[in-house]
Amino acid sequence: MRKENNYEFCKRLLEVHKKDRRDFSLLPEENEFAFQKNVKIYIPENAGEVLLTAAKDFEDYLFTSMKLSASIDYDDGEKKENSVYLYVNSDIGKASERRGHRVSVNNEYVVIEGFDECGAAQGLYYLEDVMNLRSAPFLTIKTEERRVMFCPRMIMSGYGMNEYPDAYLAALAHHGFTAISLWIYGKNHSQKGYTNFTDISSRAKKYGFDIYVQSFVKHEIYPEGEEAQKFYDELYADLLREFPFIKGIRLIGEACKFKSRDPNYPKNFPDGFYPSSDWKLLVEMIGNSVRKVSPDIEVIVSTYNWGWTPIEDRLRLIRILPENTILSCPWDLYENYDMNGIEEMCADYSLRVVGPNKNFIAEAEEASKRGLAITATTNTGGKTWDFGAIPYTPAPYRWAERCEAVREAHDKYGLSGLFDAIHYGVYPSFISELTKWAFCEPRVDLQALIPKLLAMHFGNEARERVDSAMKLWSEALANMVPTNEDQYGALRVGPSIPIYAKLENMPEEQFPPQDQFAMHKFKGMFYSVYNANRHEQPTPWQTRVPEEIKTYEKVKDLIFDGIKILESIEEKNDELKRLIAMGYFMYRTTISCINRKKFFLLDKKRLAEESKEDLADTVSQMQALLNEEKENARETIPIVEYDSVLGFEPSMEYVCDRYRLEWKMSQVEREIERLSEFLNTKL
């Protein structure tokens, strides 16, 4: 089996167009236009950077994917065969809005009219999408007016925190995303130290991306008086003067750490984690500060950290926020769901909940009454915390359900923008292609589209069996157990997660250090599996943990059944081999979830044992589980070495590579010794 070094997956993220997509055995139908060799791409004399970049991209696509030569020239007004004409036109019917486009195909040439240059670029990407599904440079003869349902579709980088190479930006633009979010600590300062914001913006601008920022500088000055105004002017107004390209500011409690004076603020609770009434003052002051420099800038307030609070507390704040505030609501977390008759709560982003959750509905209804714009963190870039250390979540039928619900929220509540990927970013895949198709109009049948996308990626002969496997994996993801203990444990980092018993003299060691600039350190998070916190489940652990184990056993079996189907395919392309490896990583991660829960129950039993014989038996079972986890970690090593993206998460860097898996193996060995030492003191 071949091996990849860490970060080799980045090469694949820089591949904008896949080679040799064309099936030369196919012939055009009677109602199809077919591109021939020497395609001409015509642009207007006044074409801007976005349009010219898109034209060059299409030239490369035809050559790389369809083996057709092409060239770019300026439009002289005369229509020629075998050509594509690009225009900007503000009057294109139903598509007459930002990023809208009209595509007209006749039997001689193609005309693309964009409401703006970004719209024209999306029109070209649409041609690519259609030809990729067709496996040939053939287009149906017709005229379509297409609009983008959501703007922005905001993401963070899956390449690395705040890292956006040009080719990766191009790939993201092809998948329908419109904005990138930077997490910052000051001017040209992010988690990785010095970061050239202007360089990111100038390159992103070529592909039509807007830039949003979220500041992690503590908002420690109470928003009243001249001193406060000076502080927020320096934090935000000065930022915009130096970086006028910033489209919007996102405010989130855990980043701002705003110290409230609201008497209702829960005692001894972290700053920023309650929708205090004086957030109104903070948003007003920041709004006044930024609009001195940029009158049209967007100020977005996220309710992410407040979902645990009573709904009325959040609605009270929404009623008093400034009129030009944009509300950003979580889509799935904090929602209660039924698990075999037991009530559980979704602790963080998960496909267990299709959505929208009750919090989104209540907040969106209140915001709609006030006329506030509404966005949502839907993670429709293709990933959730169900498995945090894989590139995307391969559950297309579950994603289709979510996309349908997002469409309904667009129609019912006026949902206008999406945060498609938080700090785990986007790894372009058939999932992000599915969501792109889902969020354009006219709308397509997603259930019918999925098999076509699978054939495009994994081969037509493999389509049926891949489709069967994806239905099993979609069912598996619908049965996940998104508790705080799991999503901040094995689900987040994989089988490298350690296991500790509750013994005296707990070891001082921590999870092995991540790379220097990783954002999360996970300090002290792994000693106890079930710590009390704001995500506490509604059902006691004594009742729910055994049912969670049963549910995870079902998930494990569904994943493995899907793997067996995929492995039965004789001719496997590279992408299918990587899909199988990802399946094994999910399988091994699920085993760690199960073993940690079993170990927790045994540890509770150990603490209650009265006879020495029973105590020795329980400790023996615990040690056996630790040995199982050691073997589970060992079996994961060839998986992460086969595909270097497995075990990687952009904000945490590598959390489950060979180094960390070998550390896990040593950790469980030490824990076995500690249990033996404990038993010797009791016998």
Side-chain angles (χ1 to χ4, degrees):
M1 181 183 290
R2 68 184 175 196
K3 294 182 180 179
E4 284 190 348
N5 294 321
N6 282 2
Y7 300 103
E8 278 195 52
F9 74 89
C10 291
K11 296 176 184 177
R12 292 190 292 279
L13 288 179
L14 301 181
E15 183 183 51
V16 182
H17 302 124
K18 292 188 181 296
K19 293 181 179 179
D20 303 330
R21 283 188 179 272
R22 183 171 182 177
D23 181 348
F24 280 92
S25 69
L26 298 176
L27 297 174
E29 302 289 341
E30 189 174 327
N31 65 334
E32 287 183 320
F33 162 83
F35 282 113
Q36 308 297 326
K37 290 183 178 180
N38 301 319
V39 178
K40 296 291 287 187
I41 304 166
Y42 289 101
I43 62 174
E45 289 280 352
N46 63 347
E49 186 177 37
V50 173
L51 197 61
L52 182 57
T53 300
K56 291 178 179 178
D57 174 274
F58 191 62
E59 177 185 28
D60 179 71
Y61 167 78
L62 289 173
F63 185 78
T64 302
S65 297
M66 293 294 152
K67 291 193 172 181
L68 288 173
S69 58
S71 61
I72 302 170
D73 204 348
Y74 289 110
D75 186 7
D76 61 5
E78 181 182 348
K79 293 292 187 291
K80 305 175 184 68
E81 293 183 353
N82 198 38
S83 300
V84 179
Y85 293 86
L86 304 179
Y87 302 106
V88 174
N89 181 2
S90 60
D91 184 13
I92 49 176
K94 296 178 181 179
S96 297
E97 59 184 54
R98 190 180 181 195
R99 297 181 184 267
H101 45 278
R102 181 162 61 197
V103 178
S104 303
V105 182
N106 59 39
N107 56 9
E108 293 183 343
Y109 54 83
V110 179
V111 176
I112 295 177
E113 302 165 274
F115 178 76
D116 47 23
E117 290 202 354
C118 292
Q122 288 299 322
L124 282 175
Y125 302 153
Y126 173 62
L127 295 190
E128 294 182 21
D129 294 340
V130 171
M131 289 189 283
N132 287 340
L133 285 176
R134 185 71 172 87
S135 298
F138 308 154
L139 301 168
T140 302
I141 296 173
K142 62 179 178 179
T143 296
E144 290 183 275
E145 294 173 356
R146 306 182 76 249
R147 62 176 292 269
V148 174
M149 293 174 65
F150 301 103
C151 193
R153 289 195 64 195
M154 191 187 311
I155 54 92
M156 297 182 73
S157 176
Y159 191 93
M161 281 301 290
N162 290 346
E163 293 185 36
Y164 292 96
D166 282 45
Y168 179 59
L169 286 166
L172 294 175
H174 280 69
H175 285 248
F177 304 109
T178 71
I180 60 178
S181 175
L182 304 178
W183 284 9
I184 69 173
Y185 289 88
K187 298 176 182 177
N188 290 326
H189 182 203
S190 71
Q191 291 92 328
K192 292 192 172 182
Y194 177 78
T195 304
N196 190 330
F197 297 167
T198 301
D199 173 66
I200 293 174
S201 173
S202 62
R203 290 184 294 101
K205 185 180 178 182
K206 294 189 299 183
Y207 303 98
F209 284 102
D210 294 321
I211 306 292
Y212 290 75
V213 298
Q214 180 172 294
S215 176
F216 276 76
V217 175
K218 186 174 182 179
H219 293 39
E220 58 188 353
I221 305 298
Y222 196 78
E224 284 184 336
E226 293 183 8
E227 180 188 3
Q229 191 64 66
K230 180 181 178 183
F231 174 82
Y232 289 105
D233 282 354
E234 290 176 352
L235 182 59
Y236 285 111
D238 289 356
L239 180 76
L240 291 178
R241 289 189 183 95
E242 186 162 344
F243 308 112
F245 48 78
I246 293 175
K247 175 75 172 178
I249 305 287
R250 294 188 81 248
L251 303 175
I252 184 170
E254 65 186 39
C256 295
K257 297 182 175 64
F258 169 53
K259 191 169 187 62
S260 170
R261 295 179 183 175
D262 187 333
N264 295 315
Y265 202 96
K267 292 182 180 179
N268 302 318
F269 213 77
D271 293 335
F273 281 76
Y274 179 77
S276 53
S277 59
D278 41 12
W279 264 84
K280 173 180 182 289
L281 300 177
L282 180 68
V283 176
E284 283 179 341
M285 181 159 281
I286 292 173
N288 291 336
S289 177
V290 296
R291 291 187 178 98
K292 294 175 185 176
V293 182
S294 180
D296 296 326
I297 195 166
E298 298 175 9
V299 177
I300 305 170
V301 175
S302 171
T303 65
Y304 169 77
N305 291 122
W306 305 333
W308 65 276
T309 64
I311 287 177
E312 185 54 39
D313 292 5
R314 283 174 279 118
L315 299 187
R316 188 181 303 116
L317 174 59
I318 292 171
R319 294 184 190 115
I320 61 174
L321 286 172
E323 292 182 358
N324 47 7
T325 303
I326 297 173
L327 200 66
S328 176
C329 310
W331 181 258
D332 43 10
L333 70 163
Y334 301 111
E335 183 74 349
N336 289 352
Y337 60 88
D338 178 81
M339 187 185 68
N340 302 324
I342 292 174
E343 186 180 20
E344 294 228 340
M345 185 187 71
C346 180
D348 215 325
Y349 302 120
S350 173
L351 277 178
R352 174 73 190 228
V353 177
V354 168
N357 61 20
K358 60 182 179 297
N359 288 344
F360 172 88
I361 293 171
E363 293 173 12
E365 287 177 346
E366 194 64 39
S368 295
K369 293 176 186 176
R370 295 204 53 212
L372 302 182
I374 305 162
T375 65
T377 306
T378 56
N379 289 296
T380 35
K383 185 174 172 179
T384 64
W385 282 128
D386 290 314
F387 293 101
I390 62 176
Y392 61 92
T393 307
Y397 289 96
R398 194 65 173 171
W399 282 115
E401 290 182 66
R402 174 165 291 188
C403 289
E404 292 286 3
V406 172
R407 286 169 164 178
E408 290 176 15
H410 169 275
D411 299 340
K412 188 172 182 179
Y413 303 110
L415 178 64
S416 59
L418 306 178
F419 200 174
D420 287 278
I422 60 165
H423 50 79
Y424 38 60
V426 172
Y427 187 102
S429 68
F430 67 94
I431 300 298
S432 54
E433 288 172 345
L434 174 69
T435 60
K436 177 190 176 181
W437 280 99
F439 299 148
C440 289
E441 291 183 325
R443 302 180 189 184
V444 299
D445 181 341
L446 300 180
Q447 300 290 322
L449 175 64
I450 290 171
K452 297 177 183 178
L453 289 173
L454 297 178
M456 184 178 84
H457 281 265
F458 305 108
N460 196 52
E461 280 130 16
R463 179 183 62 181
E464 289 187 8
R465 277 182 280 183
V466 175
D467 190 48
S468 297
M470 292 304 97
K471 286 176 179 174
L472 291 173
W473 287 5
S474 295
E475 184 182 353
L477 269 294
N479 284 278
M480 292 300 290
V481 185
T483 64
N484 196 56
E485 307 89 55
D486 296 304
Q487 291 203 325
Y488 282 84
L491 293 183
R492 186 158 297 212
V493 302
S496 59
I497 193 79
I499 301 182
Y500 294 98
K502 190 173 184 180
L503 299 169
E504 293 182 4
N505 302 317
M506 292 295 294
E508 294 183 0
E509 66 183 357
Q510 301 286 352
F511 197 60
Q514 290 148 5
D515 295 311
Q516 182 180 359
F517 298 111
M519 185 176 69
H520 295 297
K521 301 302 182 186
F522 286 103
K523 292 181 179 178
M525 194 171 282
F526 301 119
Y527 291 149
S528 176
V529 182
Y530 293 84
N531 295 316
N533 50 50
R534 69 184 185 280
H535 297 300
E536 190 171 355
Q537 294 294 325
T539 305
W541 66 263
Q542 295 92 333
T543 303
R544 67 182 176 89
V545 174
E547 287 299 327
E548 290 172 356
I549 292 172
K550 291 179 186 177
T551 302
Y552 268 129
E553 291 285 0
K554 177 180 179 180
V555 169
K556 177 172 69 77
D557 291 344
L558 287 166
I559 292 172
F560 192 67
D561 288 346
I563 292 171
K564 288 190 292 185
I565 292 173
L566 296 177
E567 287 191 322
S568 73
I569 298 170
E570 294 178 1
E571 295 294 327
K572 302 180 184 70
N573 63 18
D574 184 68
E575 192 169 0
L576 181 52
K577 292 175 184 177
R578 295 185 187 282
L579 184 66
I580 293 170
M582 181 157 50
Y584 272 115
F585 189 91
M586 295 191 297
Y587 176 73
R588 293 288 166 193
T589 298
T590 307
I591 289 174
S592 285
C593 288
I594 293 168
N595 284 343
R596 291 184 86 218
K597 290 177 185 294
K598 288 180 177 179
F599 190 84
F600 170 78
L601 293 177
L602 285 170
D603 203 24
K604 289 291 188 181
K605 186 172 183 288
R606 173 187 64 83
L607 293 171
E609 296 290 15
E610 295 183 357
S611 76
K612 293 181 179 180
E613 292 78 9
D614 290 343
L615 180 62
D617 181 63
T618 299
V619 169
S620 176
Q621 292 181 59
M622 294 174 71
Q623 291 174 323
L625 264 178
L626 289 169
N627 276 316
E628 283 185 31
E629 266 300 281
K630 178 181 176 181
E631 188 59 29
N632 192 44
R634 189 195 312 278
E635 292 288 340
T636 307
I637 290 174
I639 299 169
V640 299
E641 290 191 330
Y642 180 81
D643 189 345
S644 60
V645 75
L646 299 174
F648 174 84
E649 196 277 345
S651 72
M652 300 181 287
E653 300 290 332
Y654 278 96
V655 293
C656 193
D657 55 0
R658 171 182 277 274
Y659 165 63
R660 288 157 183 86
L661 287 163
E662 289 179 344
W663 174 87
K664 161 68 173 286
M665 293 164 66
S666 298
Q667 182 272 317
V668 295
E669 288 177 353
R670 293 191 297 272
E671 199 64 9
I672 290 171
E673 293 174 3
R674 290 179 67 230
L675 283 167
S676 293
E677 292 168 1
F678 160 79
L679 192 58
N680 289 336
T681 65
K682 299 297 182 180
L683 298 182

